[in-house]
Amino acid sequence: MSMQTIIKQTETAKKLKSHLNMILVENNWLLNQIDFNEVEGLMNQMQAAEHIFITAAGRSGFAMRSAAMRLMHFGFQVYFVGDTTTPAIQAGDLLVAASGSGTTSTIVKAAEKAKSVGAQVVALTTQPKSPLGETADLIVNIPAAEKQDHDSSKSRQYAGGLFEQFLLLLSDAIFHELWKASGIPAEELWKRHANLE
């Protein structure tokens, strides 16, 4: 390996560290933009619901699947919309719908259907006045950049990355509060972890 290659790798390593630092700085900035009364409202809705349904698409969907897993560990009856074992939503249930734009048609339709049967809807979105926001009973406004905000005014990341990352971090914070407030030992929660893997 030549000296030039070593220097090139070192420069790349520095750039990688810089990118990760930028991502962390942006998430920290967003942390200070959130109204945590809205987040507490979401947590209260989760605790009151008979069943929790979660819907999101793309990378937001992956983040929200992680949230669903943690809520299952806590003991909630939780379903990710679209899975083959997801039952019908009913009155007394909660739909948590995440969409940066608030216009994703399948998510908006799911919210409208949930409302039509008497379920509660919480929207996690960058656009409170979107169709999803207008359908929701409660909005958690996450003022990150949307996928096509290319001017870097809210985020230097590509295609909604900040919103998607923050969904995961926020859902972990909600889980952590539920867990710590419950006093349930980690060993008890772990009994619900998948054992057919």
Side-chain angles (χ1 to χ4, degrees), residues 33-53:
Q33 309 307 309
I34 300 295
D35 180 350
F36 278 89
N37 292 312
E38 296 172 355
V39 181
E40 183 180 4
L42 167 57
M43 191 176 73
N44 292 340
Q45 290 269 28
M46 289 175 169
Q47 292 174 301
E50 293 181 29
H51 306 94
I52 300 171
F53 293 77

Side-chain angles (χ1 to χ4, degrees), residues 57-174:
R59 281 171 39 110
S60 296
F62 291 125
M64 295 306 289
R65 281 183 182 275
S66 295
M69 180 181 182
R70 282 292 183 256
L71 294 173
M72 175 275 294
H73 283 162
F74 189 70
F76 288 121
Q77 293 293 312
V78 58
Y79 305 97
F80 194 87
V81 175
D83 288 350
T84 55
T85 54
T86 302
I89 195 167
Q90 301 176 42
D93 294 338
L94 172 66
L95 176 68
V96 180
S99 169
S101 68
T103 60
T104 308
S105 60
T106 54
I107 296 169
V108 173
K109 287 177 184 175
E112 291 169 346
K113 179 63 179 181
K115 291 288 292 180
S116 75
V117 299
Q120 294 289 299
V121 176
V122 176
L124 292 91
T125 183
T126 69
Q127 298 296 319
K129 294 184 179 179
S130 63
L132 177 60
E134 291 173 357
T135 304
D137 299 288
L138 173 68
I139 299 168
V140 177
N141 181 22
I142 303 174
E146 290 184 57
K147 283 185 172 54
Q148 295 189 48
D149 285 348
H150 301 306
D151 65 1
S152 301
S153 62
K154 290 186 178 179
S155 176
R156 292 162 53 199
Q157 298 184 61
Y158 172 74
L162 179 58
F163 177 76
E164 297 148 0
Q165 293 152 8
F166 201 79
L167 286 176
L168 177 61
L169 296 173
L170 187 62
S171 66
D172 271 358
I174 291 169

